[in-house]
Amino acid sequence: MGSTGADDCFNDEYAALYLDGRVRAIADIEIEPIHECHRDFLRSLPVRANLVVPVLTNKGLWGLLIAHQCQVPHNWSTEEIKRMQQSATRLATAPAIRDT
């Protein structure tokens, strides 16, 4: 959608967590203990559940691969998380990303 989110919601502290390989699976943004600016941002999309995995290259954190469930809460399965991580690894090795 072209949005990068609110700058005060994603700062260097969060970037460092994802650089370390953090995976974040939120089943329901309405009950998950997250910062209110993050909740408001997700509501504006509108998103009810999301899964975030880092796209890591040899140069560091390139970006985040994110899956959203917009209608209802969703408990992310181990298999879904594994597939997202595999997809992020494939993205990181794509020439257009690897060489940037």
Side-chain angles (χ1 to χ4, degrees):
M1 300 179 91
S3 177
T4 58
D7 288 343
D8 56 341
C9 288
F10 189 84
N11 56 34
D12 290 339
E13 177 185 336
Y14 287 106
L17 292 171
Y18 287 106
L19 181 59
D20 287 339
R22 176 189 197 186
V23 172
R24 183 79 158 122
I26 298 175
D28 186 349
I29 68 160
E30 298 301 333
I31 60 173
E32 187 74 17
I34 57 177
H35 287 285
E36 201 59 34
C37 66
H38 188 197
R39 188 181 331 276
D40 290 343
F41 173 67
L42 293 172
R43 283 177 180 154
S44 75
L45 293 177
V47 169
R48 188 63 190 262
N50 80 336
L51 172 60
V52 182
V53 298
V55 178
L56 299 169
T57 68
N58 290 336
K59 297 178 183 178
L61 179 63
W62 182 85
L64 301 172
L65 180 61
I66 303 172
H68 289 150
Q69 168 52 264
C70 297
Q71 286 79 29
V72 295
H74 179 77
N75 289 312
W76 302 97
S77 70
T78 302
E79 185 61 29
E80 288 170 319
I81 295 168
K82 180 180 172 184
R83 286 183 184 175
M84 282 284 286
Q85 289 174 307
Q86 290 169 340
S87 295
T89 299
R90 282 193 299 277
L91 274 173
T93 60
I97 292 174
R98 183 189 65 225
D99 299 337
T100 59

